[in-house]
Amino acid sequence: MTRFLFSFGMMMLSSVSLSSYADSHAYNQPFPSLSAEDKQAFYLGESIFERFWVPAPSSTTASDGLGPLFNARSCHSCHVNSGRGHAPKSDQLGSEVPSFFIRLAQKSPQDHKTLLGDEIYGRQFQPLSSTNTNSEGDYKVIWHEIVETFPDGHQVTLRQPELQWIRLNYGDFSPNTGFSMRVSPPLVGMGLLDLVPESVILEYADPTDRNQDGISGKANWIISDQSQRLGRFGHKASVATLNEQNQSAFNGDLGLSTELFPYPSGDCTEAQADCLRAPNGNSAHLDHLEVSHEQMALLDSYVALSMPPAMRNLNEPWFPEAKQIFDALECGSCHRPKLSTGPSQYTALHRRDFYPFTDMLLHDMGPGLANGFPVFSASPTEWRTAPLWGIGLSEAVSGRNGFLHDGRARTIEEAILWHGGEAQASKNAYKSLNAKQRTLFVRFLESL
């Protein structure tokens, strides 16, 4: 097994220039070295991020065009303070939790070049709608408990989600439609991750496990027009750039048209005639789009220039021992501590080292975390390694915790115990630690 040891001293140096906030604003502070122009773009972009969009027609044409079908009314609704989402409780409807959503795609696609959604409901189920348009319906999540027992007798209760449809307003799904429950991911350090050179990410790809260490990280390639691009964003690494990720969210989650997705009806399908006929916000003075080029550029600046939080507890006497446990468990084989950016127009992002604790590659996490369909070259059991930086601040930022792609894990320990597949050995090693070591390890992760 390969160990990814990293310098304690270098971590201290890298953290000095990052945000020291440890409250609800830990994920959405601008880099301190921004020019006056970039700082202005950051705050204007933040206002767009927090804007509540309204259905068309509206007197506020700069913020109309919501829907007609949608999951949320603002970016902030899904990413509170740029934080992660959470799953519904058993007594909540899906429509009451905008940061949780259901992706739809074919269980057995003809190829891995396109993502085809349900013939009626499209690629994302949307329980909210504007006036005179039926929503797609609603659902609940039923939680089943599983008890995990450690060698020393310690027990942890895990919860496994089951999707229960309450109402389908447009009929049944296609028999070939698969489902994937998702929570909105935290927007930590997205600008830095966007600038990691492809060669740096591919350096640690090993899809055939040539070195026989049990870790087979692979790239998710997005193939179109006889070209291929490396996926790096999303739970399945299915989006190539930060700009595309932001535009996709505007169109899929809010039903707003953008340059890449100029459809004012969002994810509406031909089977949803009332949605297609509804008024939209495409207008001449906004590039014939509901989200103009200027608005999109400002939103991109806000997300890209939000500074990751600094590591914490580096000078605590227990920290070196906790770091050694991280190394011994081989967690760095997937949660690679250090990455580097290439050139950038922003000085704050230009050719710098940073510590996100991800390799940005796909890994097989076992059948316990499988979703209902492949996403390009990502099989149902494969997921992009989630960055760990700022994970200990999740609750402070958004007021709740919800780890893994569907928010099933209420604690970091629960998330560890869902690791299977390539991470099974590390999970077993964690379970073999004594109580003190387990506490130190979790405290280390919370410090990142």
Side-chain angles (χ1 to χ4, degrees):
M1 299 287 283
T2 301
R3 292 188 180 182
F4 286 81
L5 304 178
F6 55 99
S7 169
F8 178 52
M10 285 300 295
M11 284 198 303
M12 294 182 69
L13 290 174
S14 72
S15 300
V16 171
S17 61
L18 299 184
S19 172
S20 60
Y21 280 77
D23 57 15
S24 61
H25 299 292
Y27 293 174
N28 60 1
Q29 294 298 307
F31 282 93
S33 56
L34 300 183
S35 66
E37 181 180 4
D38 290 339
K39 187 170 290 188
Q40 181 184 39
F42 174 91
Y43 285 113
L44 289 173
E46 184 178 37
S47 70
I48 295 172
F49 183 84
E50 296 176 346
R51 175 178 297 171
F52 276 87
W53 296 79
V54 296
S58 169
S59 59
T60 55
T61 56
S63 58
D64 73 347
L66 178 70
L69 298 175
F70 55 95
N71 293 83
R73 293 177 170 83
S74 72
C75 304
H76 183 269
S77 297
C78 292
H79 307 274
V80 175
N81 297 323
S82 294
R84 70 182 71 243
H86 70 292
K89 299 177 182 177
S90 295
D91 59 350
Q92 284 184 301
L93 292 171
S95 58
E96 298 173 355
V97 186
S99 65
F100 186 87
F101 53 99
I102 311 297
R103 285 279 167 82
L104 313 171
Q106 293 184 359
K107 291 184 284 188
S108 302
Q110 293 183 351
D111 59 56
H112 296 299
K113 297 180 181 180
T114 56
L115 292 178
L116 297 178
D118 184 78
E119 294 177 0
I120 296 176
Y121 292 93
R123 292 174 54 186
Q124 188 161 303
F125 190 82
Q126 291 152 328
L128 302 175
S129 65
S130 57
T131 305
N132 299 324
T133 301
N134 279 335
S135 73
E136 293 187 326
D138 220 331
Y139 59 89
K140 284 187 175 182
V141 176
I142 307 302
W143 297 102
H144 302 283
E145 293 189 345
I146 303 171
V147 177
E148 185 95 13
T149 302
F150 290 44
D152 65 0
H154 176 61
Q155 291 187 327
V156 177
T157 300
L158 307 180
R159 58 176 191 171
Q160 186 170 31
E162 177 190 350
L163 185 58
Q164 182 181 84
W165 297 106
I166 301 299
R167 185 175 66 259
L168 296 174
N169 289 337
Y170 294 87
D172 293 331
F173 294 105
S174 166
N176 193 36
T177 297
F179 310 103
S180 182
M181 291 175 274
R182 307 284 181 87
V183 293
S184 304
L187 307 180
V188 179
M190 298 276 279
L192 293 168
L193 294 173
D194 192 41
L195 292 169
V196 178
E198 189 174 290
S199 59
V200 173
I201 298 174
L202 295 179
E203 178 184 353
Y204 285 91
D206 186 17
T208 60
D209 194 18
R210 293 188 306 272
N211 61 3
Q212 298 184 342
D213 67 349
I215 305 300
S216 304
K218 77 176 190 182
N220 197 356
W221 293 106
I222 303 167
I223 302 173
S224 61
D225 300 326
Q226 299 182 343
S227 65
Q228 65 177 20
R229 295 180 302 151
L230 178 68
R232 62 179 69 208
F233 292 113
H235 294 290
K236 291 281 189 176
S238 58
V239 183
T241 68
L242 175 60
N243 173 262
E244 291 175 53
Q245 177 71 19
N246 291 338
Q247 292 200 44
S248 175
F250 264 132
N251 192 250
D253 299 341
L254 280 74
L256 297 167
S257 59
T258 69
E259 289 182 286
L260 290 178
F261 305 95
Y263 327 112
S265 301
D267 193 41
C268 296
T269 67
E270 293 182 1
Q272 298 166 326
D274 56 343
C275 179
L276 295 177
R277 288 194 300 263
N280 64 70
N282 280 12
S283 54
H285 65 283
L286 288 179
D287 305 338
H288 297 282
L289 297 168
E290 291 164 334
V291 182
S292 70
H293 173 80
E294 181 183 12
Q295 290 172 321
M296 196 69 246
L298 292 171
L299 189 280
D300 286 344
S301 294
Y302 167 69
V303 178
L305 297 175
S306 292
M307 181 172 46
M311 295 184 191
R312 297 160 305 285
N313 300 319
L314 295 175
N315 296 319
E316 294 295 327
W318 53 265
F319 191 89
E321 181 182 354
K323 170 189 167 294
Q324 289 173 2
I325 297 172
F326 177 90
D327 293 337
L329 296 184
E330 308 286 355
C331 300
S333 296
C334 300
H335 293 281
R336 183 179 172 190
K338 179 182 175 182
L339 291 175
S340 303
T341 64
S344 173
Q345 61 176 315
Y346 302 114
T347 302
L349 307 180
H350 179 76
R351 298 192 186 281
R352 67 173 296 164
D353 296 333
F354 62 102
Y355 292 82
F357 290 82
T358 176
D359 59 8
M360 302 183 74
L361 295 169
L362 298 171
H363 293 276
D364 189 329
M365 296 296 289
L369 291 178
N371 73 316
F373 51 83
V375 179
F376 298 129
S377 55
S379 74
T381 60
E382 290 177 325
W383 301 89
R384 185 196 72 156
T385 304
L388 297 179
W389 54 358
I391 192 171
L393 299 173
S394 295
E395 188 170 4
V397 168
S398 58
R400 63 253 181 158
N401 279 331
F403 304 112
L404 302 177
H405 66 277
D406 54 15
R408 69 178 66 188
R410 295 157 293 189
T411 65
I412 293 175
E413 183 172 60
E414 287 184 31
I416 294 169
L417 295 177
W418 276 108
H419 282 52
E422 296 175 42
Q424 184 69 45
S426 293
K427 167 192 166 178
N428 292 341
Y430 171 78
K431 291 178 64 177
S432 297
L433 298 175
N434 61 43
K436 177 187 174 183
Q437 291 170 324
R438 293 195 299 266
T439 298
L440 283 177
F441 178 65
V442 172
R443 289 176 72 185
F444 173 79
L445 297 181
E446 291 174 339
S447 301
L448 302 180

